[in-house]
Amino acid sequence: MATSLSRLSGRVWIHPGDPDPEAVKPCVAVIADDAGSTVVDAGQSPAHARSVQAAMADAGLPAARRLVYTHHHWDHTWGACAWEAEEIVGHESGAALLSAEARRPWSHAYLKEQVAAEPGLGPSFTARARAMSDWADFAVRPPTRTFTDRLVLPGGIEVRHVGGRHAPDSTVVAVPDSGVMLLGDCFYPPPFHLREPGPAGEEIDMGQITALVAEGFDWYVDSHSPPWRPPSA
């Protein structure tokens, strides 16, 4: 059974992620619009994407018109091949990275080979293997529309590059008329295999998140936690 969507505020709906960190299944946001919804992040697999689509249909929301990637990491992009959308929006630096990912021979055997060669990939690649029961028709899809700094989409949706240690293409998506900012993983530490040893390697970017909260949105949504409100909201 599909996990249901819940309306967070205004036009923004949230399909919650899996609270088990080993599942590496982030939330997916839907910004509803009669002309076609904007879906923020594609899900971590085609099965995840289909779960979101079923929940959208159950909630009576318009089908996806576009996808927006908050960044290129697999758990935010591997569901894209299961979506029918007019465009996929992402930062230009992520487009190059995803184009390289698209050329890799993804399969369970390939994942196992890569972990044997580089054990630090174990947490990520083990989660990918669990997420993918079937590789038929799977493809990594780079953005079809890129931007450098910021972009305003129809309906006043603001897409802004913020970068950071987690991913060079980290992007936030603001929906001013609903008082919501979607953060992706922007303030998180780097992925496990890229962290420096010691506590400093696991620190979040407090400067970045403090600056974003200072913009005064009612709700903030990062990809692996429940939506939260600043103390002053």
mmCIF file with all atom_site columns, all heavy atoms in Angstrom, residues 146-158:
data_model
loop_
_atom_site.group_PDB
_atom_site.id
_atom_site.type_symbol
_atom_site.label_atom_id
_atom_site.label_alt_id
_atom_site.label_comp_id
_atom_site.label_asym_id
_atom_site.label_entity_id
_atom_site.label_seq_id
_atom_site.pdbx_PDB_ins_code
_atom_site.Cartn_x
_atom_site.Cartn_y
_atom_site.Cartn_z
_atom_site.occupancy
_atom_site.B_iso_or_equiv
_atom_site.pdbx_formal_charge
_atom_site.auth_seq_id
_atom_site.auth_comp_id
_atom_site.auth_asym_id
_atom_site.auth_atom_id
_atom_site.pdbx_PDB_model_num
ATOM 1  N N   . THR A 1 146 ? 18.809 23.133 -16.946 1.00 0.00 ? 146 THR A N   1
ATOM 2  C CA  . THR A 1 146 ? 19.765 23.458 -15.890 1.00 0.00 ? 146 THR A CA  1
ATOM 3  C C   . THR A 1 146 ? 19.772 24.959 -15.617 1.00 0.00 ? 146 THR A C   1
ATOM 4  O O   . THR A 1 146 ? 19.275 25.763 -16.410 1.00 0.00 ? 146 THR A O   1
ATOM 5  C CB  . THR A 1 146 ? 21.180 23.004 -16.267 1.00 0.00 ? 146 THR A CB  1
ATOM 6  O OG1 . THR A 1 146 ? 21.596 23.673 -17.465 1.00 0.00 ? 146 THR A OG1 1
ATOM 7  C CG2 . THR A 1 146 ? 21.241 21.500 -16.478 1.00 0.00 ? 146 THR A CG2 1
ATOM 8  N N   . PHE A 1 147 ? 20.347 25.313 -14.463 1.00 0.00 ? 147 PHE A N   1
ATOM 9  C CA  . PHE A 1 147 ? 20.482 26.713 -14.085 1.00 0.00 ? 147 PHE A CA  1
ATOM 10 C C   . PHE A 1 147 ? 21.797 26.863 -13.336 1.00 0.00 ? 147 PHE A C   1
ATOM 11 O O   . PHE A 1 147 ? 22.414 25.867 -12.915 1.00 0.00 ? 147 PHE A O   1
ATOM 12 C CB  . PHE A 1 147 ? 19.297 27.152 -13.220 1.00 0.00 ? 147 PHE A CB  1
ATOM 13 C CG  . PHE A 1 147 ? 19.258 26.511 -11.859 1.00 0.00 ? 147 PHE A CG  1
ATOM 14 C CD1 . PHE A 1 147 ? 19.718 27.185 -10.740 1.00 0.00 ? 147 PHE A CD1 1
ATOM 15 C CD2 . PHE A 1 147 ? 18.787 25.211 -11.700 1.00 0.00 ? 147 PHE A CD2 1
ATOM 16 C CE1 . PHE A 1 147 ? 19.699 26.590 -9.491  1.00 0.00 ? 147 PHE A CE1 1
ATOM 17 C CE2 . PHE A 1 147 ? 18.771 24.609 -10.454 1.00 0.00 ? 147 PHE A CE2 1
ATOM 18 C CZ  . PHE A 1 147 ? 19.230 25.299 -9.351  1.00 0.00 ? 147 PHE A CZ  1
ATOM 19 N N   . THR A 1 148 ? 22.242 28.112 -13.166 1.00 0.00 ? 148 THR A N   1
ATOM 20 C CA  . THR A 1 148 ? 23.517 28.364 -12.496 1.00 0.00 ? 148 THR A CA  1
ATOM 21 C C   . THR A 1 148 ? 23.345 28.917 -11.091 1.00 0.00 ? 148 THR A C   1
ATOM 22 O O   . THR A 1 148 ? 24.011 28.468 -10.163 1.00 0.00 ? 148 THR A O   1
ATOM 23 C CB  . THR A 1 148 ? 24.379 29.343 -13.312 1.00 0.00 ? 148 THR A CB  1
ATOM 24 O OG1 . THR A 1 148 ? 23.629 30.541 -13.548 1.00 0.00 ? 148 THR A OG1 1
ATOM 25 C CG2 . THR A 1 148 ? 24.779 28.737 -14.646 1.00 0.00 ? 148 THR A CG2 1
ATOM 26 N N   . ASP A 1 149 ? 22.455 29.862 -10.905 1.00 0.00 ? 149 ASP A N   1
ATOM 27 C CA  . ASP A 1 149 ? 22.299 30.520 -9.610  1.00 0.00 ? 149 ASP A CA  1
ATOM 28 C C   . ASP A 1 149 ? 20.885 30.347 -9.076  1.00 0.00 ? 149 ASP A C   1
ATOM 29 O O   . ASP A 1 149 ? 20.671 29.778 -8.011  1.00 0.00 ? 149 ASP A O   1
ATOM 30 C CB  . ASP A 1 149 ? 22.645 32.004 -9.743  1.00 0.00 ? 149 ASP A CB  1
ATOM 31 C CG  . ASP A 1 149 ? 22.536 32.740 -8.408  1.00 0.00 ? 149 ASP A CG  1
ATOM 32 O OD1 . ASP A 1 149 ? 22.723 32.098 -7.355  1.00 0.00 ? 149 ASP A OD1 1
ATOM 33 O OD2 . ASP A 1 149 ? 22.257 33.960 -8.420  1.00 0.00 ? 149 ASP A OD2 1
ATOM 34 N N   . ARG A 1 150 ? 19.904 30.858 -9.805  1.00 0.00 ? 150 ARG A N   1
ATOM 35 C CA  . ARG A 1 150 ? 18.522 30.722 -9.369  1.00 0.00 ? 150 ARG A CA  1
ATOM 36 C C   . ARG A 1 150 ? 17.601 30.703 -10.571 1.00 0.00 ? 150 ARG A C   1
ATOM 37 O O   . ARG A 1 150 ? 17.962 31.140 -11.667 1.00 0.00 ? 150 ARG A O   1
ATOM 38 C CB  . ARG A 1 150 ? 18.118 31.828 -8.391  1.00 0.00 ? 150 ARG A CB  1
ATOM 39 C CG  . ARG A 1 150 ? 18.165 33.234 -8.933  1.00 0.00 ? 150 ARG A CG  1
ATOM 40 C CD  . ARG A 1 150 ? 17.733 34.221 -7.843  1.00 0.00 ? 150 ARG A CD  1
ATOM 41 N NE  . ARG A 1 150 ? 18.641 34.182 -6.703  1.00 0.00 ? 150 ARG A NE  1
ATOM 42 C CZ  . ARG A 1 150 ? 18.241 34.330 -5.436  1.00 0.00 ? 150 ARG A CZ  1
ATOM 43 N NH1 . ARG A 1 150 ? 16.968 34.500 -5.157  1.00 0.00 ? 150 ARG A NH1 1
ATOM 44 N NH2 . ARG A 1 150 ? 19.111 34.311 -4.460  1.00 0.00 ? 150 ARG A NH2 1
ATOM 45 N N   . LEU A 1 151 ? 16.391 30.209 -10.338 1.00 0.00 ? 151 LEU A N   1
ATOM 46 C CA  . LEU A 1 151 ? 15.413 30.049 -11.394 1.00 0.00 ? 151 LEU A CA  1
ATOM 47 C C   . LEU A 1 151 ? 14.040 30.190 -10.760 1.00 0.00 ? 151 LEU A C   1
ATOM 48 O O   . LEU A 1 151 ? 13.809 29.674 -9.665  1.00 0.00 ? 151 LEU A O   1
ATOM 49 C CB  . LEU A 1 151 ? 15.577 28.654 -12.014 1.00 0.00 ? 151 LEU A CB  1
ATOM 50 C CG  . LEU A 1 151 ? 14.708 28.233 -13.182 1.00 0.00 ? 151 LEU A CG  1
ATOM 51 C CD1 . LEU A 1 151 ? 15.024 29.076 -14.413 1.00 0.00 ? 151 LEU A CD1 1
ATOM 52 C CD2 . LEU A 1 151 ? 14.959 26.748 -13.481 1.00 0.00 ? 151 LEU A CD2 1
ATOM 53 N N   . VAL A 1 152 ? 13.133 30.904 -11.427 1.00 0.00 ? 152 VAL A N   1
ATOM 54 C CA  . VAL A 1 152 ? 11.749 30.994 -10.956 1.00 0.00 ? 152 VAL A CA  1
ATOM 55 C C   . VAL A 1 152 ? 10.885 30.214 -11.936 1.00 0.00 ? 152 VAL A C   1
ATOM 56 O O   . VAL A 1 152 ? 10.830 30.517 -13.136 1.00 0.00 ? 152 VAL A O   1
ATOM 57 C CB  . VAL A 1 152 ? 11.276 32.454 -10.846 1.00 0.00 ? 152 VAL A CB  1
ATOM 58 C CG1 . VAL A 1 152 ? 9.817  32.493 -10.393 1.00 0.00 ? 152 VAL A CG1 1
ATOM 59 C CG2 . VAL A 1 152 ? 12.152 33.236 -9.879  1.00 0.00 ? 152 VAL A CG2 1
ATOM 60 N N   . LEU A 1 153 ? 10.213 29.197 -11.416 1.00 0.00 ? 153 LEU A N   1
ATOM 61 C CA  . LEU A 1 153 ? 9.359  28.344 -12.229 1.00 0.00 ? 153 LEU A CA  1
ATOM 62 C C   . LEU A 1 153 ? 7.926  28.872 -12.227 1.00 0.00 ? 153 LEU A C   1
ATOM 63 O O   . LEU A 1 153 ? 7.564  29.699 -11.377 1.00 0.00 ? 153 LEU A O   1
ATOM 64 C CB  . LEU A 1 153 ? 9.390  26.922 -11.669 1.00 0.00 ? 153 LEU A CB  1
ATOM 65 C CG  . LEU A 1 153 ? 10.760 26.245 -11.669 1.00 0.00 ? 153 LEU A CG  1
ATOM 66 C CD1 . LEU A 1 153 ? 10.685 24.909 -10.933 1.00 0.00 ? 153 LEU A CD1 1
ATOM 67 C CD2 . LEU A 1 153 ? 11.268 26.035 -13.094 1.00 0.00 ? 153 LEU A CD2 1
ATOM 68 N N   . PRO A 1 154 ? 7.097  28.428 -13.151 1.00 0.00 ? 154 PRO A N   1
ATOM 69 C CA  . PRO A 1 154 ? 5.695  28.844 -13.142 1.00 0.00 ? 154 PRO A CA  1
ATOM 70 C C   . PRO A 1 154 ? 5.059  28.609 -11.779 1.00 0.00 ? 154 PRO A C   1
ATOM 71 O O   . PRO A 1 154 ? 5.336  27.623 -11.099 1.00 0.00 ? 154 PRO A O   1
ATOM 72 C CB  . PRO A 1 154 ? 5.065  27.947 -14.218 1.00 0.00 ? 154 PRO A CB  1
ATOM 73 C CG  . PRO A 1 154 ? 6.189  27.680 -15.174 1.00 0.00 ? 154 PRO A CG  1
ATOM 74 C CD  . PRO A 1 154 ? 7.418  27.562 -14.312 1.00 0.00 ? 154 PRO A CD  1
ATOM 75 N N   . GLY A 1 155 ? 4.202  29.540 -11.390 1.00 0.00 ? 155 GLY A N   1
ATOM 76 C CA  . GLY A 1 155 ? 3.585  29.465 -10.076 1.00 0.00 ? 155 GLY A CA  1
ATOM 77 C C   . GLY A 1 155 ? 4.409  30.113 -8.990  1.00 0.00 ? 155 GLY A C   1
ATOM 78 O O   . GLY A 1 155 ? 4.065  30.036 -7.808  1.00 0.00 ? 155 GLY A O   1
ATOM 79 N N   . GLY A 1 156 ? 5.526  30.782 -9.379  1.00 0.00 ? 156 GLY A N   1
ATOM 80 C CA  . GLY A 1 156 ? 6.341  31.488 -8.402  1.00 0.00 ? 156 GLY A CA  1
ATOM 81 C C   . GLY A 1 156 ? 7.237  30.593 -7.564  1.00 0.00 ? 156 GLY A C   1
ATOM 82 O O   . GLY A 1 156 ? 7.740  31.022 -6.514  1.00 0.00 ? 156 GLY A O   1
ATOM 83 N N   . ILE A 1 157 ? 7.486  29.364 -8.004  1.00 0.00 ? 157 ILE A N   1
ATOM 84 C CA  . ILE A 1 157 ? 8.381  28.461 -7.280  1.00 0.00 ? 157 ILE A CA  1
ATOM 85 C C   . ILE A 1 157 ? 9.823  28.901 -7.522  1.00 0.00 ? 157 ILE A C   1
ATOM 86 O O   . ILE A 1 157 ? 10.255 29.035 -8.664  1.00 0.00 ? 157 ILE A O   1
ATOM 87 C CB  . ILE A 1 157 ? 8.186  27.003 -7.750  1.00 0.00 ? 157 ILE A CB  1
ATOM 88 C CG1 . ILE A 1 157 ? 6.741  26.560 -7.509  1.00 0.00 ? 157 ILE A CG1 1
ATOM 89 C CG2 . ILE A 1 157 ? 9.166  26.075 -7.063  1.00 0.00 ? 157 ILE A CG2 1
ATOM 90 C CD1 . ILE A 1 157 ? 6.378  25.263 -8.214  1.00 0.00 ? 157 ILE A CD1 1
ATOM 91 N N   . GLU A 1 158 ? 10.554 29.135 -6.434  1.00 0.00 ? 158 GLU A N   1
ATOM 92 C CA  . GLU A 1 158 ? 11.926 29.640 -6.523  1.00 0.00 ? 158 GLU A CA  1
ATOM 93 C C   . GLU A 1 158 ? 12.917 28.510 -6.302  1.00 0.00 ? 158 GLU A C   1
ATOM 94 O O   . GLU A 1 158 ? 12.867 27.820 -5.279  1.00 0.00 ? 158 GLU A O   1
ATOM 95 C CB  . GLU A 1 158 ? 12.143 30.743 -5.485  1.00 0.00 ? 158 GLU A CB  1
ATOM 96 C CG  . GLU A 1 158 ? 11.192 31.920 -5.647  1.00 0.00 ? 158 GLU A CG  1
ATOM 97 C CD  . GLU A 1 158 ? 11.295 32.914 -4.499  1.00 0.00 ? 158 GLU A CD  1
ATOM 98 O OE1 . GLU A 1 158 ? 12.156 32.724 -3.612  1.00 0.00 ? 158 GLU A OE1 1
ATOM 99 O OE2 . GLU A 1 158 ? 10.500 33.875 -4.482  1.00 0.00 ? 158 GLU A OE2 1
#
